[in-house]
Amino acid sequence: MKNELFRYVARIQGLLPGFIAAIISLAVWQVGGWKALEQIGYNSLFQIRDTGILPKPNWDKRVVVIAIDEASLGKLGRFPFSRDRYTKLLQALSPSRPAAVGLDIIFAEPSPDDSQLADAIRASGNVILAQASDDKVQFIHIETILDQAAAARGHISHNPDTDGISRQAALKFKGLSSLGLAMVQLYSSDNPGESEQLEKFLTSLSQDNRQFQYVWLNWPGKRQSLPTYSFADVLEGKVSKNALTGKFVLVGITAMGFDPMVTPLNQMPPTSGVYLHAAAIDNLLNNRFLQPLPDWKTAILLLLIGPLTSGILSKLGAERRVAIALLLPLSWYGVSLTLFSSFSWWLPIAAPVGTILLAGIGLQLREQQEKQQLMSLFEKYMAKETANLIWQRKDEIIKNGELQPQEMVATVLFMDIRGFTTISEQLSPRELMPWLNQYLNAMSECIMNRGGVIDKYIGDAIMAIFGIPFARTKPEEIKQDALNCMAACLEMSERLEKLNQKFEAENQPKIKFGIGVHTGSIIAGSVGGGQRLNFSVLGDTVNVAARLEAMNKEVKEDNPYGILITNETWEYVSDRYNAKPVKSIQLRGRKQETIICSILGKK
């Protein structure tokens, strides 16, 4: 039950950074913080699709533009044109019998030529006039005679986004259809049953009572790929009749500086407003408006992506984590691009990618904090390099919140101060503790510098282990631990000489220690109860080393350093150090006597 609880807590902790990242990302989404980046993402989808890497649509062949361009202004004079120009245009279009004609031109002022233009509009029977609005969102009056002659009116209002790019079209504005929608509605009413899907969409629009009905435009391509004919060329009969037959003809000004509009595919230089209506007609005819993800689905998406990301990354090492952290945003972008190209779905990009990055950063910060806590704990007992090694390989020894028990071969060292009780009686507590801590600190440094781990301090005694926390599997590794222990012992002896010189100068007691070392099998792991745990080692090897340390009181001859080792340790260090057998003892549970050697120094 306890292990299951630890596993559950560990899983929750792994998901927590991602969940927090998702909450932060969702809050940013709600206040519009991702909007600018989402707009960039929107642009990039169109730009990548337009390269042809993925399937891309083309402008509907039924949509054409008659442009009042620079060439037309050069031939016909300044804009706005006199009304007779439009009369002649409609007369020129009459033989082609277009499906609908949308005049993206404002006819707000009376003109002597209005009567003739009204007759031409009435004769065509399929002309939609543009209805503009002022700054107060009030519709500007259309000259009555023209308004009455037209088949319908369509508004031309639209609001670009904050970055100046037009991404949405208002199909309905204060209840009035847009110019493009009005043209399609007229065509649909004249050709019932031609497109069941289009009729369903138009029916749903008519049943929607909202004053403003916005849609996200799926720009089919750059405006250069849409058939566009010069106004002057049409008047002069240079455009084939068949080129305009059955087409949705939009007439608007495209000359530089008159009606600029920026799209994801036409930014520098911009295109013209008439192409907004062309895109709306294209999307209506092909039912391919962009379908953005609803806000509530976006919220669920972010709440799933965050924990999922941290859950995946928490199981990986540093290098793989970086690789996956980079791969996940690219994968999400790839999914978004595929769904955009294939199904006209517009999934958010910036918010999910931001959530992935926040989850990765949050996980890294949490693990960095855990590492600092673990390092600050372990660095008190072992060298920084060893603590780093434990962190890098923590999954091997830490499970369910505990250091797992392991059986291994290690070298155990016990040491304490000879005559400490007598010394402690001579010093006051204020003198004793600084004096003792200087000694313990110096000895601990020597042990940790050689790769040893301080297991515990027992008053004036130190217990240290060489060869934990990772099990040694090769004889040469076990030998190196024993050699490291010997090197640490001699280094402690040298360090103690210098320390005693300092104590003597300060009129403080000098120190003499005894050390016992044994190499053998131990069990290392967490020891303690639910309230307090300690990493320690157990086994007969520990008891033997402790007994050897105490023997230094008896073995004073041929023991210059106060270091006693067993023959098991001697077998590993005999090629580097001189030693002398000084005693043999019968250890409990052993048939043969154990030979005790004193260290005489390096060879």
Side-chain angles (χ1 to χ4, degrees):
M1 182 68 180
K2 181 181 178 182
N3 288 343
E4 290 180 2
L5 179 60
F6 270 120
R7 282 195 292 269
Y8 176 76
V9 171
R11 284 196 296 268
I12 293 298
Q13 288 179 338
L15 300 177
L16 186 60
F19 182 72
I20 294 173
I23 295 298
I24 294 173
S25 181
L26 190 55
V28 173
W29 174 274
Q30 291 296 324
V31 300
W34 294 118
K35 185 175 181 180
L37 292 175
E38 291 294 356
Q39 290 173 343
I40 295 174
Y42 172 99
N43 295 346
S44 69
L45 292 174
F46 284 99
Q47 291 160 1
I48 292 177
R49 184 180 70 177
D50 196 59
T51 62
I53 296 175
L54 293 173
K56 66 172 185 174
N58 293 310
W59 286 95
D60 192 295
K61 294 180 179 179
R62 292 169 288 180
V63 183
V64 299
V65 169
I66 295 178
I68 302 175
D69 52 10
E70 282 81 359
S72 298
L73 296 181
K75 293 178 180 180
L76 304 175
R78 291 168 46 183
F79 186 80
F81 290 157
S82 61
R83 303 283 165 83
D84 67 310
R85 303 291 192 194
Y86 302 107
T87 301
K88 293 177 182 178
L89 176 69
L90 293 177
Q91 291 170 348
L93 290 175
S94 180
S96 299
R97 301 186 62 83
V101 179
L103 296 181
D104 188 14
I105 308 295
I106 306 301
F107 299 114
E109 302 294 333
S111 166
D113 300 319
D114 284 348
S115 178
Q116 291 86 347
L117 178 56
D119 290 341
I121 291 173
R122 192 176 295 107
S124 297
N126 60 359
V127 176
I128 314 295
L129 296 183
Q131 178 89 68
S133 60
D134 57 21
D135 294 338
K136 298 180 180 179
V137 199
Q138 298 295 323
F139 286 126
I140 297 173
H141 169 76
I142 297 176
E143 185 59 29
T144 304
I145 188 172
L146 301 179
D147 190 20
Q148 292 175 347
R153 287 175 289 130
H155 80 80
I156 56 173
S157 301
H158 86 279
N159 293 316
D161 286 330
T162 51
D163 60 352
I165 294 180
S166 295
R167 297 182 175 88
Q168 296 185 79
L171 292 184
K172 290 288 185 70
F173 185 77
K174 300 187 72 173
L176 180 64
S177 297
S178 68
L179 181 62
L181 176 60
M183 292 172 67
V184 174
Q185 286 172 326
L186 177 63
Y187 170 78
S188 181
S189 64
D190 291 341
N191 298 273
E194 181 170 319
S195 175
E196 183 178 347
Q197 195 174 37
L198 177 59
E199 289 183 2
K200 285 183 178 180
F201 182 79
L202 295 177
T203 300
S204 66
L205 277 178
S206 64
Q207 293 173 349
D208 191 336
N209 295 322
R210 290 177 299 170
Q211 281 196 319
F212 306 101
Q213 298 175 31
Y214 287 92
V215 291
W216 290 92
L217 291 174
N218 188 355
W219 290 94
K222 295 179 179 178
R223 60 97 178 163
Q224 290 86 346
S225 58
L226 177 67
T228 301
Y229 305 104
S230 174
F231 190 101
D233 287 346
V234 176
L235 289 188
E236 294 172 1
K238 295 180 179 180
V239 178
S240 168
K241 180 180 73 171
N242 294 333
L244 303 172
T245 300
K247 302 298 175 65
F248 291 84
V249 178
L250 283 160
V251 182
I253 186 162
T254 64
M256 189 70 68
F258 278 93
D259 186 19
M261 183 187 67
V262 180
T263 78
L265 298 174
N266 289 102
Q267 297 186 36
M268 294 297 290
T271 183
S272 303
V274 68
Y275 291 98
L276 180 84
H277 310 301
I281 294 172
D282 171 275
N283 288 188
L284 281 164
L285 295 176
N286 296 279
N287 190 32
R288 59 183 177 202
F289 287 111
L290 284 187
Q291 304 299 318
L293 200 65
D295 285 348
W296 67 272
K297 289 187 178 180
T298 299
I300 293 175
L301 176 67
L302 298 181
L303 291 174
L304 287 174
I305 284 180
L308 183 62
T309 299
S310 60
I312 293 172
L313 296 181
S314 64
K315 299 177 182 178
L316 303 176
E319 292 183 1
R320 293 181 64 193
R321 180 177 295 178
V322 171
I324 296 299
L326 294 175
L327 183 61
L328 286 177
L330 292 175
S331 299
W332 177 254
Y333 188 84
V335 169
S336 301
L337 183 59
T338 301
L339 295 177
F340 169 76
S341 296
S342 301
F343 302 103
S344 297
W345 291 1
W346 179 31
L347 301 184
I349 296 175
V353 169
T355 303
I356 291 171
L357 297 178
L358 286 174
I361 293 171
L363 181 66
Q364 196 65 31
L365 290 175
R366 183 179 72 85
E367 291 201 352
Q368 188 65 30
Q369 183 183 25
E370 289 179 352
K371 181 179 180 181
Q372 289 174 352
Q373 293 173 345
L374 186 65
M375 294 287 283
S376 64
L377 174 64
F378 280 145
E379 283 180 10
K380 297 177 183 177
Y381 302 96
M382 63 192 71
K384 185 175 181 180
E385 293 75 16
T386 306
N388 272 319
L389 181 63
I390 290 176
W391 175 257
Q392 293 167 8
R393 298 173 59 183
K394 63 182 183 298
D395 293 338
E396 298 178 29
I397 60 172
I398 301 176
K399 293 182 181 178
N400 301 330
E402 297 180 2
L403 290 164
Q404 294 301 291
Q406 300 180 83
E407 186 174 0
M408 60 184 72
V409 176
T411 298
V412 179
L413 175 151
F414 263 91
M415 67 181 298
D416 77 346
I417 298 174
R418 301 273 76 88
F420 178 72
T421 302
T422 302
I423 295 174
S424 64
E425 291 174 351
Q426 298 172 0
L427 299 175
S428 68
R430 286 189 176 183
E431 295 172 321
L432 178 64
M433 293 308 292
W435 171 81
L436 178 61
N437 284 334
Q438 285 185 70
Y439 161 77
L440 293 176
N441 183 60
M443 300 303 103
S444 298
E445 284 183 2
C446 295
I447 291 169
M448 291 190 292
N449 287 343
R450 296 293 181 172
V453 176
I454 306 296
D455 180 273
K456 60 176 70 70
Y457 298 102
I458 312 167
D460 64 309
I462 300 174
M463 174 182 169
I465 302 95
F466 292 78
I468 61 170
F470 301 104
R472 312 305 195 191
T473 57
K474 299 177 181 178
E476 54 266 28
E477 293 176 335
I478 298 171
K479 176 179 180 177
Q480 188 59 53
D481 290 332
L483 289 171
N484 289 341
C485 181
M486 289 299 99
C489 290
L490 294 183
E491 186 177 333
M492 285 189 286
S493 181
E494 295 175 3
R495 187 80 175 267
L496 184 60
E497 286 186 19
K498 297 178 181 178
L499 193 61
N500 278 331
Q501 293 174 6
K502 179 176 182 294
F503 287 155
E504 187 176 17
E506 295 174 353
N507 199 28
Q508 291 182 314
K510 294 197 292 184
I511 293 175
K512 186 176 182 180
F513 60 50
I515 296 176
V517 176
H518 178 51
T519 302
S521 179
I522 63 169
I523 296 174
S526 295
V527 178
Q531 298 298 318
R532 179 178 173 83
L533 289 173
N534 185 42
F535 181 74
S536 189
V537 299
L538 304 173
D540 188 54
T541 299
V542 178
N543 299 330
V544 172
R547 285 188 62 183
L548 262 62
E549 179 272 316
M551 281 184 191
N552 281 284
K553 298 175 184 178
E554 306 169 14
V555 182
K556 296 182 179 179
E557 293 185 6
D558 297 322
N559 188 12
Y561 295 101
I563 303 170
L564 298 179
I565 66 174
T566 60
N567 58 312
E568 284 87 352
T569 303
W570 170 243
E571 289 178 0
Y572 289 112
V573 303
S574 58
D575 60 335
R576 301 276 187 91
Y577 294 90
N578 291 314
K580 180 179 181 180
V582 294
K583 195 172 184 179
S584 63
I585 59 174
Q586 183 68 46
L587 294 175
R588 187 177 60 184
R590 296 190 177 191
K591 293 182 181 180
Q592 295 181 344
E593 289 188 341
T594 298
I595 300 174
I596 310 301
C597 303
S598 66
I599 293 295
L600 303 179
K602 286 185 178 180
K603 282 190 174 181

